[in-house]
């Protein structure tokens, strides 16, 4: 359960959005709160996220979307516009801050798998990277990796795992990402 919650938190932090929109009628009168939860990305990641959410007793549907630059050409996403969905993802986000201080092993493993599936890659030179423009998120990932003895370097828009092929394999064995082509890229790029 903790691994699945961590995976969803990592995937959403990497490729998701979580919005609370207050609608008014132009005056101070609030009409309603609107909520939007969206996760767009690799098909395989979306399928895993949907299955894990279902196993945690929350139902998300995968819906078609218009491909755009924002979603890197993805043509489907998990989209929910309910307070329940917003609260579910918020609950997962709240666990992120405490996971390292209380060393929630399975949650952190899941988070690393989810963030790698959302934002990770392995170059042909064998460099495992997690890319994101949110520097605080990259620092969080670095702290999580440090919990397991990994060393990494944070660059302008990515985190790079240090230690070469052996550490890449150890990362894959520990986190167990679910997107096969991303996992296989690590295995073939020594």
């Amino acid at each position: 359960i903790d691994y699945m919650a961590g995976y969803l938190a990592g995937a959403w932090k990497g490729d998701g959005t979580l919005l609370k929109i207050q609608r008014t009628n132009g005056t101070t009168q609030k009409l309603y709160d609107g909520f939007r939860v969206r996760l767009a990305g690799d098909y395989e990641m979306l399928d895993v996220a949907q299955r894990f959410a279902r196993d945690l007793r929350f139902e998300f549907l995968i819906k078609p979307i218009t491909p755009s630059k924002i979603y890197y050409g993805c043509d489907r996403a998990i989209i929910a516009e309910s307070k329940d969905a917003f609260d579910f993802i918020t609950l997962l986000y709240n666990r992120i801050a405490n996971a390292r201080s209380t060393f929630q092993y399975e949650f952190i493993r899941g988070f690393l798998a989810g963030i790698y599936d959302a934002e990770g890659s392995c170059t042909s030179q064998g460099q495992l990277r997690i890319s994101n423009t949110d520097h605080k998120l990259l620092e969080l990932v670095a702290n999580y990796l440090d919990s397991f003895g990994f060393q990494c370097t944070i660059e302008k828009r990515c985190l790079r795992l240090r230690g070469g092929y052996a550490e890449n394999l150890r990362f894959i064995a520990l986190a167990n990402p679910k997107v096969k082509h991303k996992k296989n890229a690590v295995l073939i790029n020594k």
Side-chain angles (χ1 to χ4, degrees):
I1 290 174
D2 287 341
Y3 180 89
M4 292 184 286
Y7 184 91
L8 290 170
W12 240 279
K13 275 297 204 183
D15 272 346
T17 57
L18 180 66
L19 302 170
K20 181 177 180 181
I21 306 157
Q22 291 191 336
R23 305 277 186 200
T24 64
N25 63 1
T27 65
T28 57
Q29 181 184 7
K30 186 167 92 170
L31 298 176
Y32 68 92
D33 286 333
F35 301 93
R36 174 168 286 163
V37 174
R38 180 179 299 165
L39 178 63
D42 188 281
Y43 288 173
E44 208 171 344
M45 182 186 74
L46 291 175
D47 291 338
V48 169
Q50 183 183 40
R51 183 170 38 92
F52 281 1
R54 187 177 297 130
D55 289 349
L56 293 171
R57 306 284 183 251
F58 199 89
E59 191 69 37
F60 284 115
L61 299 176
I62 298 175
K63 299 179 180 181
I65 60 172
T66 303
S68 70
K69 288 182 189 177
I70 296 171
Y71 299 111
Y72 304 101
C74 297
D75 62 357
R76 62 185 194 148
I78 292 175
I79 300 173
E81 295 184 352
S82 71
K83 185 173 184 332
D84 288 343
F86 183 88
D87 290 346
F88 176 76
I89 300 302
T90 300
L91 179 70
L92 296 177
Y93 278 14
N94 290 340
R95 288 194 59 189
I96 293 170
N98 299 324
R100 185 163 190 232
S101 62
T102 58
F103 197 67
Q104 298 172 25
Y105 178 82
E106 289 298 317
F107 182 87
I108 294 171
R109 281 184 57 237
F111 183 91
L112 291 172
I115 194 75
Y116 181 75
D117 281 352
E119 301 283 50
S121 64
C122 187
T123 68
S124 59
Q125 294 81 30
Q127 293 181 341
L128 190 144
R129 296 176 186 232
I130 295 173
S131 301
N132 199 285
T133 57
D134 182 347
H135 195 75
K136 288 185 181 191
L137 176 59
L138 295 176
E139 288 174 354
L140 173 76
V141 174
N143 285 330
Y144 279 1
L145 288 167
D146 183 62
S147 297
F148 294 104
F150 288 100
Q151 294 183 350
C152 61
T153 301
I154 296 177
E155 298 170 351
K156 187 173 180 179
R157 293 180 158 220
C158 76
L159 174 149
R160 184 174 42 85
L161 191 64
R162 293 179 15 207
Y165 187 66
E167 286 297 273
N168 292 355
L169 288 179
R170 189 166 77 87
F171 173 82
I172 294 299
L174 174 87
N176 193 20
K178 303 302 176 197
V179 176
K180 287 182 181 77
H181 72 88
K182 290 190 175 199
K183 188 185 285 191
N184 289 342
V186 171
L187 300 175
I188 63 171
N189 291 311
K190 293 183 181 183

